[in-house]
Structure formats: structure tokens, C-alpha cells
Amino acid sequence: KDNYKLVVVGGGSGGLAVSSRFARKLGKNNVAVIEPSEWHLYQPGWTLAAGGVKNPDSFRRSESKMISKGVDWIKAKATDFQPESNTIVLDNGDKVKYDYLVMATGIKIDFDGIKGLKEALANDQQVVSMYSHETVKNVFPAIQRFKGGNAIFTFPKVPIKCPGAPQKVMYLAEDYFRKNGVRDKATVTYCTTLPVIFGVKKYADALMEVVKERDIKLNTQHHLIEIDYKNKQAIFERLDQPGTIVKLNYDLLHVCPPMKPFDEIKKSPLVDQTGYVDLDKHTLQHKKYPNVFGIGDCTNLPTSKTAAAIAAQSSILAENLGNLMNGKDANKAKYDGYTSCPLITAYGRTILAEFDYDGKPLETFPINQGKERRTMFHLKSDFMPFLYWNAFVKGYWGGPGIYLCYQKLAKNSREHRVYK
Ligand code: FAD
Ligand code: UQ1
């Protein structure tokens, strides 16, 4: 079949949520997902795997089992986008045509983006990164082997997905050192390119308390540019002092690589000058091609790139694209930028950050989520994977807003519940 009512590019979090929803609306063989990978990865599980809380294999499932019945899986990579003629060219030379297109290709984790990173990951057991199914397995053993010295955790230049993740793995490691008698022999340092620990003040204030209490060193404006594993050195450029280089010796180095749009997407006519799919930030419709929408990490929506954001986007997108397919306006539902980041601060403790485009907290629960809580740790480690596999990928989870059927009511009610 070479023309589909709806083509979704990418079978990750966003692609599955959208294709499952529309398979229900449009029926069999009208929706196709283009996805080259054999595997679907539940990436929010990687922090738990890095901390030794869960087995990383439980976060990888066969893509063939994930794509909904009624959706055609086109197992190929989309290499060329021709939106003027509603055509996508695949890496096998085939062409696929669509009436409507949803872009959900995610963001590329760029292991080549830091000099010496790949060599260090391959040759030095003290350099680790949770950012792939293959490398996440090495993180917890390295934390267990660490017997003191400098443990360094890095955060690259933005944009990245889940901006809390690079510090969650640090807090778990620090807690592990504490519980296993090595903490007093260790210096734990967080090196971030940002001027602050987190972008939203309420949660940044809470995290600064954690950092102080746990004696973690915070190096802001530090940009990791090179790893010299033979001399066990991490080399940073100071973003606030151009030309200043800082060399830190490490005994454990956890690296969050930089991220960027995939080349095929970046060179397509669908993106803005930064290489991300160019959408109206409220309706999720493409700014130039009205039959194109986008969701998740591949888009230029100015909010934190998370699965939680995708859940909220998926219900907005389904309503607006559904209306467009029925000849109605595509601007009824409006996305407020809702995103969430469960900030694990220790084994059994989590701050649940939730906020909108303006960085204003939009909390779901009627308690102060800026406090470290055990309930929120279980929400992240047990409930979220369950929700993801059983509802999210099947297109039944539209974010916490759905419990209050009116978007407006939901917004007001959540605002009332924010404890400053
Ligand atoms: P992905 O899920 O990455 O999927 C993109 C898909 O597109 C891939 O399958 C890829 O193969 C495919 N693709 C790429 N290019 C092409 C092409 N040319 N043709 C066809 N297919 C293509 N989010 C939370 O909400 N809570 C958390 O606690 C959380 N923790 C995280 C921790 C870590 C360590 C990481 C890495 C992420 C975390 N996230 C979290 C973020 C969340 O995982 C992502 O935001 C989400 O998975 C993005 O979904 P997506 O569909 O945009 O992209
Ligand atoms: C969420 O919806 C989601 O996607 C399924 C996540 O990714 C795994 C999350 O981490 C969070 C926190 C949410 C938001 C859900 C609630 C109940 C606050």
C-alpha cells in the first residue's frame, strides 16, 4: 500500500501514543508507522537501571509487539521529506504517500559530540553513560566499584531530553556511596553548562537544599569538551569565562552526551533554523504545512522534552488533527506546555516537578511536590512503567489533565493546588 490516511514517522513514545489513538479513530490499514528499529526503548527507566533499582532489559521491548493492531509497520528509515507532494522517501528507495503526517522522530543522542567520549566508554570502566541500552548496563557496576576519589556527573548544552536525568543518577550514586561507607572518601561534583541547577525556580530552590545537605559540589557554566581517559581527566570550557579551560581528575565520570536533531529531519523542509519541526506551540500543527503535525522531542515546542509532555500533547494533537480530518478547525485544543520531571533525589525519595511553558508549576497532587517524597519515588519507579506499557503506548494516557474533563477547569484547579 502506498497511500495512507495518516503516516506517523517514528515508533517511540510519541509515535506509539499517536498511532494507537488514530488506529481506533480511523480503523484498520489507514495508519502507518515508519520506524527502522527492532526495539522500543522506555528511556525513563534508564535512571532506575543506572541506580541498580531495575534491570535495564525490562525497559526494552520488541517494536513488533508495541505497534497497535490495525497499524501498518513500515520497517525503514524515512530519508527524504517532500511535503509539497505529501511524499516520504525511505532508505530502501520506496515512497510512501499520506493525507496527514505526524512527525515523532525524537532527538539523536550524539556520542560523537564530545572528543574522546566513545574511546573512554570503550576502554575505561570509570567512564559511563546511561544514555543507551548498551551502555546503561555499565553504570551501576561502576558505582559499586567506586571506592573514593572524584565522582563527576555532567550536563551538556541544551536542548536535551529530560533535563533532570543527569542529576538523578548522581543523587542515586551519592546515596549508594553513603550507604556503603565510601561517601567520606568521595567528592561528588555536578558539572552543568547551565547557570542554575534546574530551570524552574521552585524546584531549583528545593534541589539547592538537597545539594547543600548532601555536600555535593555544583560547578555551573562548565561545558565538557573532551575526555582524556589515559590521564583520567575531564576537560571543560568555562561558558562564563571564554577561553578558560578547567581540567578535573576523575575516578568516576558519568557523561550525558549532547543531543541534536537527526540529519534526515534537519535537512527536511519541515524544520525551523534550529533543525526542529516547526509547530504552532499551542495547536501542534505545522506552521507551513497544515496537514502536518508533530509531537515530542523532534519538535521546536519550547518546553522540556519528556514522555510526560508527550502524554499531554497526544490528547491535544488527537483532538486538533481529528477535527481537521472531519473538516473542522484544527485549533480548538491548546497545549499549555505541560511537562513533568520526577527528580529522584535518593533511593526512596523524589521531587515531582510539573510545569508549563512559563515555568509555572502545574502540580497534579494536592500536596507540595517540591518536597522529597517516598510516594513520588514509587510513582516514578513502579507506577510510571506500568502506566506507560499499559495505557500510554496504547493511546489511553493523555497526561494528568484528563481527570478534569475541561482543559480550563483542569488548569485552574491545578493552579489552586500549587503550594509555594
Ligand atoms: P523517541 O521515543 O526517542 O522515539 C523516536 C523514534 O523515532 C525512535 O524509535 C527512532 O528510531 C525513530 N526515528 C528516528 N529517525 C527516524 C527516521 N528518519 N525515520 C523513521 N524513524 C525514525 N520523560 C519523562 O516523562 N519522565 C522521565 O522520568 C524521563 N526520564 C528520562 C531519562 C532518560 C535517561 C532519558 C534519555 C529520557 C527520559 N525521559 C523522561 C524523556 C523521554 O524518554 C523522551 O522525551 C521520550 O521518549 C521522547 O519520545 P519521542 O517519541 O519524541 O522520541
Ligand atoms: C507522565 O505522564 C509520564 O509519561 C507516561 C512520565 O514518563 C514516564 C512521567 O515521568 C510523569 C511524571 C508523567 C506525569 C504523570 C503524573 C501522574 C503526574
Side-chain angles (χ1 to χ4, degrees):
K1 188 166 159 156
D2 64 0
N3 189 90
Y4 286 89
K5 177 101 174 167
L6 175 64
V7 167
V8 177
V9 188
S13 309
L16 291 180
V18 167
S19 58
S20 304
R21 276 171 190 267
F22 278 92
R24 281 202 297 280
K25 275 180 201 274
L26 302 175
K28 242 178 151 31
N29 304 122
N30 286 312
V31 182
V33 168
I34 302 176
E35 167 62 66
S37 174
E38 201 61 61
W39 300 101
H40 178 88
L41 304 168
Y42 178 70
Q43 302 158 47
W46 289 346
T47 37
L48 299 166
V53 182
K54 295 270 168 85
N55 180 343
D57 289 333
S58 68
F59 300 124
R60 187 173 85 153
R61 294 201 181 174
S62 171
E63 191 72 71
S64 63
K65 296 202 177 88
M66 302 309 301
I67 291 175
S68 275
K69 286 202 191 81
V71 173
D72 286 1
W73 178 15
I74 300 172
K75 193 171 181 305
K77 189 196 260 187
T79 51
D80 197 23
F81 295 84
Q82 298 165 358
E84 307 288 351
S85 61
N86 297 337
T87 304
I88 294 171
V89 183
L90 307 176
D91 58 352
N92 60 15
D94 286 355
K95 288 185 175 175
V96 181
K97 295 192 85 139
Y98 55 82
D99 297 341
Y100 300 93
L101 171 67
V102 173
M103 293 296 292
T105 47
I107 188 169
K108 180 179 176 179
I109 299 177
D110 186 14
F111 283 94
D112 294 312
I114 294 170
K115 195 171 167 205
L117 173 59
K118 275 187 160 167
E119 294 82 347
L121 287 171
N123 296 297
D124 182 354
Q125 292 191 325
Q126 285 156 287
V127 179
V128 288
S129 177
M130 67 180 164
Y131 283 87
S132 74
H133 182 75
E134 289 67 37
T135 58
V136 66
K137 294 185 173 83
N138 302 329
V139 180
F140 190 56
I143 291 172
Q144 289 176 302
R145 274 195 307 270
F146 178 79
K147 294 292 177 264
N150 288 326
I152 299 171
F153 297 81
T154 71
F155 179 108
K157 282 190 181 170
V158 286
I160 65 164
K161 51 184 146 189
C162 198
Q167 59 187 297
K168 301 179 202 177
V169 56
M170 168 179 71
Y171 296 129
L172 288 174
E174 196 272 349
D175 195 19
Y176 187 88
F177 302 155
R178 217 166 260 276
K179 291 192 164 103
N180 290 277
V182 293
R183 183 62 182 95
D184 53 353
K185 297 187 237 32
T187 305
V188 177
T189 308
Y190 188 53
C191 291
T192 172
T193 60
L194 301 177
V196 289
I197 192 160
F198 196 75
V200 177
K201 188 168 184 308
K202 170 171 174 158
Y203 307 112
D205 290 349
L207 291 167
M208 284 310 289
E209 288 297 310
V210 173
V211 159
K212 247 201 328 227
E213 187 189 301
R214 306 262 290 275
D215 195 24
I216 291 168
K217 214 172 145 205
L218 174 64
N219 285 346
T220 55
Q221 315 255 22
H222 278 56
H223 174 218
L224 179 65
I225 50 171
E226 185 178 347
I227 300 164
D228 174 2
Y229 79 88
K230 289 191 177 136
N231 293 304
K232 303 247 178 248
Q233 279 195 332
I235 303 165
F236 298 86
E237 167 192 298
R238 283 291 300 259
L239 296 178
D240 52 344
Q241 298 164 22
T244 305
I245 298 294
V246 179
K247 295 185 177 180
L248 299 179
N249 295 316
Y250 65 80
D251 298 282
L252 175 66
L253 176 64
H254 180 276
V255 179
C256 173
M259 303 183 197
K260 60 182 192 187
F262 285 97
D263 293 340
E264 297 80 13
I265 313 305
K266 197 174 177 184
K267 70 175 174 54
S268 81
L270 298 169
V271 300
D272 68 9
Q273 70 288 353
T274 63
Y276 293 93
V277 178
D278 196 13
L279 302 182
D280 178 293
K281 73 177 198 173
H282 295 298
T283 65
L284 312 184
Q285 188 175 32
H286 196 273
K287 282 194 188 142
K288 189 164 168 209
Y289 305 103
N291 62 336
V292 179
F293 284 69
I295 190 164
D297 297 354
C298 70
T299 69
N300 68 352
L301 300 172
T303 192
S304 285
K305 297 182 185 302
T306 65
I310 290 174
Q313 291 161 19
S314 70
S315 55
I316 306 286
L317 189 155
E319 186 175 336
N320 286 339
L321 177 55
N323 278 338
L324 186 70
M325 286 173 175
N326 292 324
K328 297 191 210 136
D329 287 344
N331 59 9
K332 280 229 178 82
K334 294 206 161 59
Y335 176 54
D336 59 7
Y338 172 85
T339 189
S340 173
C341 195
L343 295 152
I344 301 171
T345 52
Y347 293 99
R349 283 195 268 159
T350 291
I351 289 169
L352 182 62
E354 290 180 284
F355 49 95
D356 67 6
Y357 276 138
D358 304 321
K360 200 159 59 78
L362 270 189
E363 300 186 348
T364 298
F365 300 98
I367 48 175
N368 180 6
Q369 292 178 200
K371 267 183 66 173
E372 298 174 80
R373 292 181 187 274
R374 180 167 288 277
T375 42
M376 297 308 171
F377 181 80
H378 288 296
L379 179 110
K380 159 78 189 166
S381 63
D382 302 314
F383 182 64
M384 279 305 151
F386 175 85
L387 181 76
Y388 189 85
W389 299 120
N390 295 291
F392 180 101
V393 296
K394 298 178 178 166
Y396 288 112
W397 173 242
I402 61 162
Y403 287 118
L404 303 153
C405 38
Y406 238 165
Q407 196 67 18
K408 186 103 197 291
L409 187 65
K411 210 170 163 221
N412 288 340
S413 143
R414 281 201 240 120
E415 273 164 8
H416 281 306
R417 288 187 193 160
V418 172
Y419 291 70
K420 291 272 153 57

